[in-house]
mmCIF file of all heavy atoms in Angstrom:
data_model
loop_
_atom_site.group_PDB
_atom_site.id
_atom_site.type_symbol
_atom_site.label_atom_id
_atom_site.label_comp_id
_atom_site.label_asym_id
_atom_site.label_seq_id
_atom_site.Cartn_x
_atom_site.Cartn_y
_atom_site.Cartn_z
ATOM 1 N N ALA A 113 31.348 7.964 9.528
ATOM 2 C CA ALA A 113 30.355 6.899 9.433
ATOM 3 C C ALA A 113 29.093 7.258 10.206
ATOM 4 O O ALA A 113 27.969 6.978 9.774
ATOM 5 C CB ALA A 113 30.940 5.592 9.952
ATOM 6 N N LYS A 157 25.642 -18.325 13.705
ATOM 7 C CA LYS A 157 26.738 -19.163 13.196
ATOM 8 C C LYS A 157 28.085 -18.460 13.269
ATOM 9 O O LYS A 157 29.117 -19.071 12.972
ATOM 10 C CB LYS A 157 26.437 -19.567 11.753
ATOM 11 C CG LYS A 157 26.263 -18.394 10.798
ATOM 12 C CD LYS A 157 25.762 -18.861 9.450
ATOM 13 C CE LYS A 157 25.510 -17.689 8.502
ATOM 14 N NZ LYS A 157 24.936 -18.109 7.220
ATOM 15 N N LEU A 243 37.137 -11.770 10.912
ATOM 16 C CA LEU A 243 36.021 -12.700 11.050
ATOM 17 C C LEU A 243 35.893 -13.581 9.814
ATOM 18 O O LEU A 243 36.177 -13.139 8.695
ATOM 19 C CB LEU A 243 34.718 -11.920 11.253
ATOM 20 C CG LEU A 243 34.650 -11.056 12.516
ATOM 21 C CD1 LEU A 243 33.380 -10.224 12.518
ATOM 22 C CD2 LEU A 243 34.730 -11.910 13.769
ATOM 23 N N LYS A 271 -1.440 -11.923 -2.282
ATOM 24 C CA LYS A 271 -1.681 -12.364 -0.917
ATOM 25 C C LYS A 271 -1.421 -11.254 0.093
ATOM 26 O O LYS A 271 -2.184 -11.063 1.037
ATOM 27 C CB LYS A 271 -0.787 -13.565 -0.597
ATOM 28 C CG LYS A 271 -1.134 -14.822 -1.368
ATOM 29 C CD LYS A 271 -0.100 -15.899 -1.148
ATOM 30 C CE LYS A 271 -0.115 -16.419 0.270
ATOM 31 N NZ LYS A 271 0.872 -17.507 0.473
ATOM 32 N N PHE A 408 -19.599 -14.031 0.714
ATOM 33 C CA PHE A 408 -20.319 -12.816 1.069
ATOM 34 C C PHE A 408 -19.973 -11.739 0.048
ATOM 35 O O PHE A 408 -18.885 -11.743 -0.532
ATOM 36 C CB PHE A 408 -19.852 -12.263 2.415
ATOM 37 C CG PHE A 408 -20.319 -13.024 3.615
ATOM 38 C CD1 PHE A 408 -19.443 -13.817 4.326
ATOM 39 C CD2 PHE A 408 -21.612 -12.896 4.064
ATOM 40 C CE1 PHE A 408 -19.854 -14.481 5.459
ATOM 41 C CE2 PHE A 408 -22.041 -13.559 5.190
ATOM 42 C CZ PHE A 408 -21.166 -14.353 5.890
ATOM 43 N N PRO A 428 -37.521 -13.860 16.648
ATOM 44 C CA PRO A 428 -37.293 -12.472 16.211
ATOM 45 C C PRO A 428 -36.264 -11.781 17.108
ATOM 46 O O PRO A 428 -36.235 -12.007 18.320
ATOM 47 C CB PRO A 428 -38.678 -11.824 16.357
ATOM 48 C CG PRO A 428 -39.644 -12.955 16.332
ATOM 49 C CD PRO A 428 -38.934 -14.119 16.967
ATOM 50 N N GLY A 448 -22.295 -13.800 23.404
ATOM 51 C CA GLY A 448 -22.158 -14.366 24.735
ATOM 52 C C GLY A 448 -23.225 -15.352 25.130
ATOM 53 O O GLY A 448 -23.530 -15.491 26.314
ATOM 54 N N GLN A 607 -8.166 -5.768 11.698
ATOM 55 C CA GLN A 607 -8.286 -7.110 12.239
ATOM 56 C C GLN A 607 -8.504 -8.103 11.105
ATOM 57 O O GLN A 607 -9.156 -7.799 10.124
ATOM 58 C CB GLN A 607 -9.463 -7.165 13.194
ATOM 59 C CG GLN A 607 -9.314 -6.208 14.351
ATOM 60 C CD GLN A 607 -10.556 -6.184 15.192
ATOM 61 O OE1 GLN A 607 -10.810 -7.107 15.939
ATOM 62 N NE2 GLN A 607 -11.339 -5.142 15.062
ATOM 63 N N SER A 633 0.577 2.428 27.809
ATOM 64 C CA SER A 633 1.590 3.446 28.058
ATOM 65 C C SER A 633 1.531 4.544 26.997
ATOM 66 O O SER A 633 0.853 4.416 25.979
ATOM 67 C CB SER A 633 2.981 2.814 28.059
ATOM 68 O OG SER A 633 3.370 2.471 26.730
#
Side-chain angles (χ1 to χ4, degrees):
K157 59 189 177 184
L243 298 174
K271 292 172 68 178
F408 286 107
Q607 300 174 75
S633 73

